[in-house]
Amino acid sequence: AAAAVVVVAVVVVAAAFQEHRQRALVAEEDGDAKSWIATARKTNETVLSEMIERLPMAVLLREVPSLRSSLSSKHLESVDDVANSNNSNAAEGSTNEADKDAAAEMPMTAEELWDATEKLIKIDRSSSLAWEGVALTAALMAFELRKGCRELREAVKTAKLEPDKPEASTAGVSEAQTLNQLIKDTQEFAEEVWYRALTRKQSKQLCSLVEGALREAEEVVRKQHAEQWRCVAQLLWTFREAAPFVLMSSLLSGVLGAFSAMRLHYQAAVINVAKEAALASQSSSKSQQGKHSRSASIAEAVMAMVVSE
């Protein structure tokens, strides 16, 4: 009985030791994971903070006034200081602020800022800095969209003023493609924000920062497409008398091309028949069948070539 008690005690102690060891390993792994998450969060916050500090807040606020409600007090204070200094020196400057904003160059693209912001959101979705980065990304996208609209309008305007230049016929094509890509990227960004925002109110507030610029860009692209179709219709109307002859010549060209292709096709058929004849088996049974098939194939190919000629 004493031995049994000792054995049971040893088993219980061993089980308790094993359980304690497993808990220690789990706690160590949890500690490593938490340490990695904390390090990654700090790194991403540092990167995003540096990128936000480089942005011209005053330009973005003039572009999207509703951005002010999404900025932290730290950035608002810096913007107010810049605004006060500009107001005090307003009499000395002769350049319009709108012209300055139109010519402003951002230190980064909206896509680069969104990549840094998204990395932080994946680690800490409740970070206020991350959602401030989302708001600034939306404002930066609005700036890029309006800049693309201005460039497209300027290209079309220049082409109308100088219609004799060779590049006038393709004016605005590259600008329209760039603006279309910006519209697509903005729509994808709005969908991501809508699904990742903490509340419905927050998602509406963030998406509203870019809605106005997005509608403006879509309207500009629609007008550009309508203008292109109008030019095509005008060109067809200008040469309406020659249209039947152009259609007839195109039809005849297609028919002649088909006959030329038929000739080449049957020439290739004759070459294939000759190759098969050279590689045919020398057995008696197969040679008889091969003779009949080769003679028939050659006769069909030759007759087809005569017809095509």
Side-chain angles (χ1 to χ4, degrees):
V5 171
V6 171
V7 170
V8 171
V10 170
V11 171
V12 171
V13 170
F17 176 76
Q18 186 69 20
E19 183 178 0
H20 175 72
R21 184 179 179 183
Q22 290 178 353
R23 288 180 178 177
L25 290 174
V26 170
E28 184 177 358
E29 291 177 355
D30 290 343
D32 293 340
K34 291 179 180 179
S35 176
W36 179 86
I37 291 173
T39 303
R41 183 193 297 114
K42 185 176 180 180
T43 302
N44 291 324
E45 285 179 349
T46 303
V47 172
L48 184 57
S49 297
E50 292 176 353
M51 295 180 73
I52 290 176
E53 291 294 333
R54 291 163 53 198
L55 289 173
M57 295 293 179
V59 175
L60 293 178
L61 280 173
R62 283 193 292 270
E63 192 74 31
V64 186
S66 56
L67 175 65
R68 180 175 290 271
S69 60
S70 301
L71 293 181
S72 64
S73 57
K74 173 185 175 182
H75 295 129
L76 286 176
E77 289 176 359
S78 62
V79 172
D80 292 337
D81 292 340
V82 173
N84 292 332
S85 62
N86 289 337
N87 290 334
S88 61
N89 298 326
E92 299 177 2
S94 59
T95 307
N96 193 357
E97 287 186 353
D99 296 334
K100 289 182 179 180
D101 294 346
E105 291 293 336
M106 292 296 168
M108 71 201 70
T109 63
E111 184 179 0
E112 293 172 348
L113 182 59
W114 171 239
D115 289 340
T117 304
E118 194 175 20
K119 289 179 182 179
L120 182 56
I121 290 178
K122 289 179 179 179
I123 295 176
D124 187 6
R125 194 174 171 216
S126 61
S127 172
S128 59
L129 179 63
W131 293 110
E132 187 177 3
V134 173
L136 289 169
T137 302
L140 191 52
M141 283 186 171
F143 176 84
E144 291 179 352
L145 285 170
R146 291 197 171 103
K147 184 177 180 180
C149 292
R150 288 191 294 267
E151 290 176 351
L152 180 56
R153 291 193 189 102
E154 187 65 26
V156 174
K157 182 179 178 181
T158 303
K160 288 182 179 179
L161 293 176
E162 300 175 349
D164 297 333
K165 286 190 174 182
E167 59 271 15
S169 58
T170 59
V173 175
S174 61
E175 288 82 0
Q177 291 176 350
T178 303
L179 189 56
N180 271 322
Q181 186 61 43
L182 287 174
I183 290 172
K184 187 182 297 184
D185 294 342
T186 304
Q187 291 171 344
E188 293 176 357
F189 165 77
E191 291 179 1
E192 287 286 334
V193 172
W194 185 265
Y195 289 117
R196 291 190 177 186
L198 299 177
T199 61
R200 184 63 60 87
K201 180 180 179 181
Q202 185 186 38
S203 62
K204 288 182 178 179
Q205 180 182 359
L206 292 171
C207 291
S208 65
L209 297 175
V210 76
E211 281 180 354
L214 183 60
R215 285 195 298 268
E216 180 183 350
E218 290 173 344
E219 182 64 22
V220 170
V221 170
R222 280 195 296 268
K223 289 182 178 179
Q224 174 65 12
H225 289 165
E227 181 67 19
Q228 289 176 349
W229 283 111
R230 189 189 66 79
C231 293
V232 171
Q234 185 177 1
L235 183 64
L236 292 175
W237 180 255
T238 303
F239 298 98
R240 63 186 182 278
E241 296 179 355
F245 301 101
V246 173
L247 182 61
M248 184 66 68
S249 63
S250 300
L251 182 61
L252 291 176
S253 298
V255 172
L256 292 175
F259 277 113
S260 299
M262 187 185 299
R263 178 183 177 184
L264 295 175
H265 170 73
Y266 285 110
Q267 285 179 352
V270 173
I271 294 173
N272 290 334
V273 169
K275 185 172 65 175
E276 290 175 1
L279 298 177
S281 174
Q282 299 298 323
S283 61
S284 59
S285 59
K286 292 184 178 180
S287 69
Q288 292 293 333
Q289 296 175 359
K291 287 178 181 178
H292 292 298
S293 62
R294 285 195 298 274
S295 61
S297 300
I298 291 173
E300 293 175 358
V302 171
M303 288 184 66
M305 288 182 66
V306 170
V307 171
S308 65
E309 289 293 335

